Amino acid sequence: MFVAPAWAQVSGSVGVVSDYRYRGYSLSDDRPAVQGDIEWNANGGFYAGLFASTVRPAYQSSGALWIPYAGFAKRDGHGRSWDVGIRWSHFDSASAYDYPEVHVGVAFRRVTIRAHYAQDYFGDAPGVYVEVDGGVPFAERWQLLLHAGAAHDVETGGAGTRFDVRAGVSLATRVCDVSLSWQGTRGETEYPYYPPWDPYDRGGWVLGCVHRW
């Protein structure tokens, strides 16, 4: 039996969402998805983990998305946490969409900023994605959730830029964190590749229940 060293921590989550929206678009064809995540954190700042979700890419059969990831995060003397990492997105029912992606980011008390780069975004074109996430408590066990992102298709320049937003609330209960948010996107619908979603699906409500440990 393996026993983790005292300086390592393992955390995770499991839950269900009414729609798995990724950067504004649905990867579950507007259907519910079951998701889970497990992460290992070392005292020195290194981390590694695996995220998984059921998906239904456009024009493909149902399957699962597996995202193994790893990185390094370190807090500076001003309370900011700097982060650099890499991950691999693998669709077991549509491997043509697989791609690796690297990121750099910084986290403040309530706001996280990250920039991502993929040479073969969804198996085809290079792309950059910048996002800002925030969480603001406003009552006991309640939190306001905010997100804004911008995706830029390097091959098409500004013509391939599109934006996504997410706004909602979450309630921490004994069973799970319950959240309700509206997620949507706007911008160009034409791409230099076929994405695994419907480009004309511009937004929708998402209800979720996630248990964390």
Side-chain angles (χ1 to χ4, degrees):
M1 179 179 179
F2 175 76
V3 179
W7 43 265
Q9 295 182 349
V10 176
S11 59
S13 65
V14 62
V16 61
V17 292
S18 61
D19 184 7
Y20 176 28
R21 289 195 168 261
Y22 177 76
R23 298 178 180 176
Y25 291 103
S26 176
L27 286 182
S28 60
D29 195 25
D30 300 316
R31 304 179 186 185
V34 178
Q35 302 179 334
D37 181 60
I38 186 166
E39 182 171 298
W40 172 85
N41 292 271
N43 190 46
F46 291 99
Y47 64 87
L50 175 66
F51 169 82
S53 176
T54 56
V55 294
R56 188 182 179 88
Y59 320 115
Q60 302 290 335
S61 59
S62 299
L65 169 62
W66 304 89
I67 305 180
Y69 59 89
F72 179 80
K74 198 69 173 179
R75 187 174 298 276
D76 64 21
H78 300 284
R80 297 168 298 204
S81 180
W82 298 88
D83 175 29
V84 58
I86 185 171
R87 69 181 191 173
W88 174 270
S89 295
H90 168 63
F91 293 84
D92 63 6
S93 64
S95 59
Y97 291 131
D98 292 2
Y99 69 97
E101 187 174 63
V102 297
H103 76 263
V104 294
V106 58
F108 302 92
R109 184 181 179 187
R110 303 199 186 283
V111 177
T112 300
I113 303 172
R114 275 187 172 182
H116 308 257
Y117 175 76
Q119 178 61 32
D120 299 299
Y121 191 55
F122 285 107
D124 201 333
V128 175
Y129 183 75
V130 179
E131 62 181 335
V132 180
D133 289 278
V136 182
F138 63 91
E140 184 179 2
R141 299 185 295 145
W142 287 89
Q143 186 170 205
L144 178 66
L145 305 175
L146 299 170
H147 163 89
H152 179 75
D153 296 321
V154 177
E155 287 190 352
T156 61
T161 301
R162 57 202 179 280
F163 306 91
D164 68 278
V165 296
R166 181 176 69 246
V169 295
S170 68
L171 170 65
T173 72
R174 293 183 179 181
V175 177
C176 64
D177 292 344
V178 180
S179 63
L180 177 65
S181 62
W182 186 88
Q183 303 179 30
T185 183
R186 63 175 300 175
E188 295 298 320
T189 59
E190 298 297 328
Y191 308 94
Y193 57 90
Y194 265 122
W197 55 65
D198 177 3
Y200 299 99
D201 175 17
R202 311 305 278 177
W205 289 95
V206 178
L207 177 65
C209 179
V210 180
H211 175 74
R212 309 178 195 277
W213 69 88

